[in-house]
Amino acid sequence: RHFTYVKKFDVEVESARSLVARLLNVDCRDVYFTRNTTSGVSDLLWSLRDFPGSHILTTTDEYGSIDSVINDFANLNRKHVVRVKLGDELLKRLSEAMNLYRPIVLVTSHITHASCEVLPVKDIAELARRKKIFYFVDAAQSVGQIPVDVNEIRPDALVGCGHKWLRGETVVGFYYFSPKTGLRPNTAPLAYDLPPEVMKLRGLDKIKDALIDYDSVGNADHIAHLGLALEEHEKLGWQNEFERIRYLG
C-alpha cells in the first residue's frame, strides 16, 4: 500500500474539513474524508458489524453501488436486506417495516438518483430515533445542490461527495458521523488525521503525524482541491449557487 506524508498539507486538509463542516453545519471533528460516497457508506455499515440484529432497511430506489455495498455487508455478516418502495405513505411503510423487522440501520438517499425525488429525511430521522434505529443518509445528490443542514435533519450519519455539485475531484468524499452513536467508525486513522483527543475518544490510534492512504482517499492534493472549490462556493454565496441550480433546472 502506498502512503504519502502530508504534514505540509495540514493547513489545506484541515481547511477543507472545516469548509465541509460549515456547509453541513456540524463540528469539524465529526467530518471524515473518504474516497467517495460508496466507500463512506461501506465504512459506516462496517462500524455496525458487531451490533446485534439481523436486518438492514433501505428503499427500492438506491444508487447501484450503494445497493451493492449494502448487499455485500449483509451477505458477509449474515444479515437480511428489506427494501421499502418509495411514494405516498413512505413514512408509514418504513414504520411498519421497522416494527416488523427491527432493523439495525436504515439507509436512504436524500435525493434519489433516478427519479430526483427529495425524501423527507428530517421526518425519517425522527422516526428512526423513536424506533432506536440507526439512520444513514446518502446525500451525494443533495450536498451542494440544495441546503443540507445536518443539525436540522439529525441523522446518525450523512455521506457526500466532492464531484457531483461541489466541483471537486472524483476521488474525494466525506461523511459526518455523529458521536452520539457511541460507535467506532470503521476507518484507519491514517486516512483521516483526526485531532489526537478525538482519536482517543473514538478508540483509534494516532500513527505518526499525518498520513493519507492513497487507496482510501486519493491524496492530500485532492482534499486540498476540494477545499479550494468550497472556498469559491462560499465567495459566490451558497444561496446564489442554489438559486442558479434551481434556475437551470
Side-chain angles (χ1 to χ4, degrees):
R1 298 172 72 98
H2 305 288
F3 299 96
T4 181
Y5 184 65
V6 296
K7 189 173 181 61
K8 67 178 180 176
F9 289 121
D10 276 353
V11 173
E12 288 88 348
V13 170
E14 293 312 311
S15 174
R17 197 192 310 278
S18 295
L19 287 159
V20 170
R22 283 209 296 273
L23 174 59
L24 300 180
N25 191 24
V26 297
D27 191 319
C28 65
R29 293 172 295 181
D30 299 323
V31 172
Y32 295 75
F33 288 115
T34 185
R35 181 188 291 256
N36 51 39
T37 310
T38 304
S39 296
V41 172
S42 179
D43 280 352
L44 291 164
L45 286 173
W46 278 95
S47 72
L48 300 172
R49 62 191 179 279
D50 298 322
F51 204 82
S54 59
H55 288 81
I56 299 167
L57 184 59
T58 186
T59 79
T60 55
D61 287 57
E62 300 308 310
Y63 190 70
S65 62
I66 301 299
D67 218 33
S68 293
V69 298
I70 291 173
N71 287 334
D72 289 345
F73 174 79
N75 291 334
L76 291 169
N77 292 276
R78 298 182 180 180
K79 311 292 185 187
H80 303 282
V81 181
V82 177
R83 293 178 173 84
V84 171
K85 187 177 180 180
L86 297 183
D88 295 337
E89 299 189 329
L90 171 61
L91 289 172
K92 179 181 178 182
R93 285 196 294 276
L94 286 173
S95 180
E96 290 172 349
M98 289 175 181
N99 291 335
L100 180 61
Y101 298 105
R102 298 304 303 166
I104 307 168
V105 62
L106 166 63
V107 182
T108 79
S109 299
H110 188 177
I111 298 178
T112 60
H113 72 287
S115 62
C116 302
E117 183 176 348
V118 182
L119 301 191
V121 289
K122 181 179 177 180
D123 294 334
I124 296 173
E126 183 179 352
L127 174 64
R129 280 195 304 278
R130 289 204 310 268
K131 304 288 187 180
K132 294 181 170 51
I133 296 166
F134 294 114
Y135 180 37
F136 299 162
V137 179
D138 170 6
Q141 300 290 348
S142 58
V143 175
Q145 180 181 190
I146 62 174
V148 177
D149 187 332
V150 170
N151 272 334
E152 182 179 346
I153 300 169
R154 296 178 63 197
D156 293 297
L158 183 140
V159 191
C161 62
H163 67 280
K164 290 187 184 293
W165 298 99
L166 301 179
R167 302 193 185 100
E169 300 194 37
T170 57
V171 291
V172 178
F174 50 83
Y175 62 83
Y176 158 81
F177 196 24
S178 172
K180 294 180 181 179
T181 63
L183 294 172
R184 169 178 171 167
N186 183 69
T187 173
L190 297 175
Y192 306 95
D193 187 30
L194 290 172
E197 66 273 15
V198 179
M199 305 293 279
K200 183 177 180 181
L201 177 67
R202 299 198 167 181
L204 301 172
D205 295 321
K206 183 83 167 177
I207 300 178
K208 296 188 177 179
D209 276 318
L211 292 169
I212 296 287
D213 182 348
Y214 273 107
D215 293 336
S216 209
V217 181
N219 61 40
D221 283 317
H222 295 146
I223 297 175
H225 179 274
L226 175 61
L228 292 173
L230 290 171
E231 282 183 5
E232 289 303 309
H233 279 290
E234 284 200 348
K235 288 177 184 176
L236 292 169
W238 280 110
Q239 195 54 45
N240 291 330
E241 287 286 285
F242 299 144
E243 291 293 337
R244 181 184 67 86
I245 293 168
R246 186 179 298 113
Y247 171 78
L248 293 174

